Amino acid sequence: FFPAATRYATETRILSGLRDELPLQLGRRPTGDENALHVYRVYQDQTPLGNVLTGRVKAEHGALEVVVATTLDRAVQGVRVQRLREPSPVAVALQDPKWLASLTGHHARDEFKIGKDIGDISREARVSAMALTQGVRDLLILLAAADKAVPASHHGY
């Protein structure tokens, strides 16, 4: 996601203090996994380049793990599917670089509507694609919240 990167720092942000605010933004109560967010801040030497986040969502056929890179202003820079249990035609559709690229540039405030502001996808992949896009949007919301939260830990590499 960041070819010029020379290092990253891992931050763990505890979000449980935002339990009144997050349900309003997410449209649901945060899961236990969402009480802490691991944010990988990416740098070129001392210059920040962006962030990398990981998350898990329930797709139609099981868990789907997603990796989201963001710009400094929290827009999607890139998305990759790290692990999935979907049937082959659905997996191929969800991992299509062109479809994943249609998520680029979106912010948490955007609709994330498949076929409207995000590329369309086959009918058989639609349920899992909706879960994936909602997961990406949720990670953007959590990142904005994390930037307000006190860091639990900070590790540079």
Side-chain angles (χ1 to χ4, degrees), residues 95-111:
Q95 295 178 89
D96 176 40
K98 184 178 177 184
W99 185 76
L100 289 172
S102 72
L103 295 161
T104 301
H106 289 347
H107 290 84
R109 66 182 174 270
D110 296 334
E111 287 189 66

Side-chain angles (χ1 to χ4, degrees), residues 7-13 39 41 43 151-157:
R7 69 182 187 91
Y8 70 94
T10 305
E11 297 175 14
T12 301
R13 298 293 177 119
V39 181
R41 308 279 186 186
Y43 299 86
S153 64
H154 181 85
H155 310 285
Y157 297 97

Side-chain angles (χ1 to χ4, degrees), residues 4 22 41 59 69 75 100 107-108 115 123 126 142:
L22 283 176
R41 308 279 186 186
L100 289 172
H107 290 84
R123 180 178 297 172
R126 190 166 291 266
L142 294 172

Side-chain angles (χ1 to χ4, degrees), residues 108-124:
R109 66 182 174 270
D110 296 334
E111 287 189 66
F112 283 79
K113 296 289 183 190
I114 295 171
K116 184 177 177 187
D117 58 337
I118 293 173
D120 210 353
I121 199 161
S122 67
R123 180 178 297 172
E124 63 193 349

Side-chain angles (χ1 to χ4, degrees), residues 35-56:
N35 282 327
L37 183 69
H38 303 290
V39 181
Y40 303 92
R41 308 279 186 186
V42 181
Y43 299 86
Q44 181 179 23
D45 300 321
Q46 298 304 312
T47 304
L49 299 175
N51 309 291
V52 175
L53 310 164
T54 61
R56 186 178 316 145

